[in-house]
Structure formats: structure tokens, C-alpha cells
Amino acid sequence: MDSTAALPLPARTEVAIVGAGPTGLALAVTLAGSGIDFVLLDRQAEGANTSRAAVVHARTLEVLDELDPSGALTADLVGRGVPVSRFRIRDGARPLAAVDFDALPTAHPYTLMVPQYETEAVLLSRLRALGGDVHRPYEVTAVAQDADGATLTTSTGETLRAAHVVGADGMHSAVRAAAGIAFEGSAYEESFVLADVVMDWAPGPREVSLVFGAAGLTVIAPLPGGHYRIVATVAEAPAAPDLAFVRALLDERVPGRAAVRELVWSSRFRIHHRVADRYRAGRLLLAGDAAHVHSPAGGQGMNTGIQDGYALGRALATGDLDGYEAARRPVALRVVALTHRMTRVATTRNRVLRAARNTLLPALARIPALRTRLATELAELRYR
């Protein structure tokens, strides 16, 4: 993503948004479209250029349609990605179930595989078209609220006065800490590996594969340019997984199915499953990873955050801030529960439970209503 020359901070604004990832950008675009004054700050000198989150679900594409009714925003993003209409669940090479999106009641009956930096780029382009931009680099180190508003202080000593402050600043949110809001939950024991690779993959680029196995959960999904995204749970992954590590991982979990030729990018991270006790404390509000974090199973995180940003922007425009938490916190609880169940079912080492899972899933997948329900849940269409 292109960098932004440092913009001077104004003295005051109506809404200060801390964090210019997908959540903060979606909120800023929503406010800009509603004519509400805001300042969007980020501590990074420029936007990230790694792919990180790579799944955009149908409901999020519907939100993008609402952020730009001409359809240009959504069309731009779809043109940068790979639409996929099927999730296939396997145990090793054995197919267990398929989840199809192509019959869902939406203008976007598919999952879009696209790097996160592309999603951020199209949101930033829309924001600039509406006259907004990102103020970089400004790291917020303190937030103090009073009866009339809140004052943000940056690491360089500058201050910004706002009527409301939104923390879209991730799991280690400074805004959430200032608000004194608890972040209940715990961490997964496993580490997670992300890797973007060039490889020959037997199932090809027409589906996303969720592979169960005693060694852990593995997700393999197509990306633009002939690349594939690998997400895998590993008991203890190296800090920087290399080509040999990724090859060995796939040889163990999908033997004979993948021939990795090149490692484009990789990372290791640890995942928590947590939800903020509240989304609002006075004039301080939370959205995205500042409000909820969970397993990457199902690719729900960024999507839920973008939808938070849109919902909060609408709430700020209408003045219904209490309605924002009432609408969005139950969604986060549901998403965290779903992704936790998916992760635990996929990674169980208990032979009896694995056998039961592998017998039950194909039987359930033959029931059309259940297939549709799971597809609707993954596409986040229940959260309209």
C-alpha cells in the first residue's frame, strides 16, 4: 500500500479513530459518507504490504456495496482476488464434506480470496475519493475522557480532542486499556503458521480446503497470481517458517498432494479467543480486534471487524451508540464460539472422537438444510 505523507493533527474532531486497518478504514468511509468529521490515526508510517487475512465473505462484500452504491468499490476488490464457491473439509486426503456458497441468497454467492493489503487499498481509495485520509505515523499513548469528550495524546506529545474515540487498534488496544474494559478469554496452546507459497496443489484453485488431522488443522486456499495461502496449527512453530518447514508440514498432512516450489511470505503467531466485556465506556468505543479475537478457522476475523466498522459508523450517524453494542457484541460471541468449535473439532487427537467426527460429518453433509446453514454462517449472512 502506498505511504501517506504525514498530515498534521487538527486540534479537535468529532470522532477519533485509532487504527487504520480494515476496521478503522471501513468506519472512516462510513463516517465520510455520512458527513461526520473524523480523524483516522495509525502508528505505522505506511500500510502493511503482507497478505495476513485473505478471506472476504459475502456479507462483507454486501457492506462494501453499501459503502459505494455504484458497485465500483466491490468490483475493484473482486477484480483483485479469486472468487471461490466451495469449502471442502478433509481428513488428510479423504473428503468428508463440502460447503457450497453458490446458492446463497446474495449478490455475492462466493468467498473472495484476496490479500489483506488489497482490501485495505480499495477502502483507502474510497476514503480518499470521499475527501478523507490516514494520519501517519501517530502512536496514541494516552486517552483521557471527561463529561464533554476525550483527549488523545501521542508519543510525540501532540494532542487531539474528540467527542468520541474508537479503538480499532487491535488486540493490544490502547483505547480498550484506557476505557478499563476487560478482555475475557484465553490463548490457544498451539501456534499458528501463515505462509503464502507457489505450489502444485492437487485439488487446484477452485476450492478452499480445510484439512483435519492428528497433527493439527491445515487450511489451503488459492490466492491471486497462482499463489496459495497456508494456515496451520503447529505445536511449536519456528519464528520464521522457511521453505523446508512448509514443505515438511504439507508432506505430513497432505502427502502426495502438494509440491511447494517457492515460499513468498511466512509468519508465526499465537491466537487468543477473547471478547471485550463491553464495546463502550462513555465516549470510548471498540471495534474489530480491539473488541474480539479468535481462531482463524473459517476466515471470520477481518470480516467481523469490517462489519463492526460499518455498524459503528451508522450508529454514530444516527446517535444510537447503545444499539451498536447490542447488535455487534452477540455477533462476536457467536463467531468466537463457532471458530473455537471448528478448531477443536479439527485438531482433536482423541482417536474415538476423530472416528466419530469422520463418520458423522459426511452423514450431516448429505442434509441440504445443514449444508445451507453452515454456508450461511461462514458467509456471515446471518448478521445482516
Side-chain angles (χ1 to χ4, degrees), residues 51-370:
S51 57
R52 294 178 292 163
V55 182
V56 179
H57 285 302
R59 175 55 194 154
T60 303
L61 293 169
E62 291 179 349
V63 165
L64 298 186
D65 285 338
E66 293 174 38
L67 291 177
D68 181 4
S70 76
L73 175 61
T74 308
D76 187 2
L77 186 61
V78 172
R80 299 175 187 226
V82 179
V84 178
S85 61
R86 167 169 286 190
F87 273 34
R88 175 85 70 178
I89 302 172
R90 293 182 167 87
D91 182 22
R94 175 190 172 191
L96 298 178
V99 181
D100 294 309
F101 301 106
D102 51 10
L104 290 176
T106 173
H108 306 286
Y110 51 86
T111 284
L112 183 68
M113 299 302 306
V114 61
Q116 180 174 326
Y117 64 81
E118 299 283 19
T119 303
E120 293 184 12
V122 299
L123 286 168
L124 179 59
S125 177
R126 177 61 178 164
L127 179 61
R128 287 174 172 167
L130 293 169
D133 215 324
V134 183
H135 290 69
R136 302 178 182 274
Y138 292 101
E139 182 178 3
V140 174
T141 55
V143 182
Q145 66 172 320
D146 52 51
D148 301 318
T151 301
L152 293 80
T153 304
T154 72
S155 59
T156 52
E158 293 163 278
T159 61
L160 171 65
R161 183 75 177 162
H164 294 95
V165 177
V166 177
D169 49 344
M171 178 176 165
H172 304 291
S173 170
V175 177
R176 190 185 62 241
I181 296 175
F183 203 35
E184 298 296 337
S186 60
Y188 287 102
E189 293 180 4
E190 305 96 336
S191 56
F192 283 77
V193 168
L194 282 185
D196 290 351
V197 302
V198 178
M199 70 177 181
D200 299 318
W201 170 235
R206 302 181 66 87
E207 68 176 45
V208 175
S209 297
L210 285 75
V211 183
F212 297 169
L217 168 68
T218 310
V219 179
I220 302 170
L223 285 176
H227 293 183
Y228 286 86
R229 157 62 55 86
I230 314 296
V231 183
T233 58
V234 179
E236 195 58 56
D242 60 13
L243 179 60
F245 179 88
V246 175
R247 280 176 170 165
L249 184 146
L250 292 178
D251 286 345
E252 175 190 21
R253 300 187 182 190
V254 286
R257 310 279 282 176
V260 182
R261 299 197 304 272
E262 179 186 347
L263 178 65
V264 178
W265 172 80
S266 71
S267 179
R268 177 197 68 183
F269 59 102
R270 296 213 173 258
I271 288 293
H272 296 240
H273 46 107
R274 300 179 185 274
V275 179
D277 283 2
R278 294 174 290 153
Y279 278 22
R280 181 187 182 191
R283 294 179 177 271
L284 310 185
L285 300 117
L286 304 177
D289 287 356
H292 47 78
V293 293
H294 42 79
S295 164
Q300 306 290 295
M302 182 182 70
N303 291 272
T304 308
I306 289 173
Q307 294 166 44
D308 284 348
Y310 175 65
L312 180 51
R314 296 287 297 272
L316 285 160
T318 62
D320 184 21
L321 291 181
D322 289 335
Y324 164 66
E325 178 178 324
R328 295 303 301 170
R329 190 169 182 273
V331 170
L333 291 170
R334 188 180 183 105
V335 168
V336 169
L338 171 68
T339 56
H340 183 63
R341 285 197 303 271
M342 290 176 65
T343 302
R344 285 293 166 245
V345 166
T347 58
T348 181
R349 295 176 182 272
N350 184 297
R351 288 187 177 183
V352 174
L353 292 178
R354 285 174 58 203
R357 175 197 69 195
N358 292 355
T359 300
L360 190 59
L361 263 180
L364 293 175
R366 287 192 287 269
I367 303 172
L370 291 180

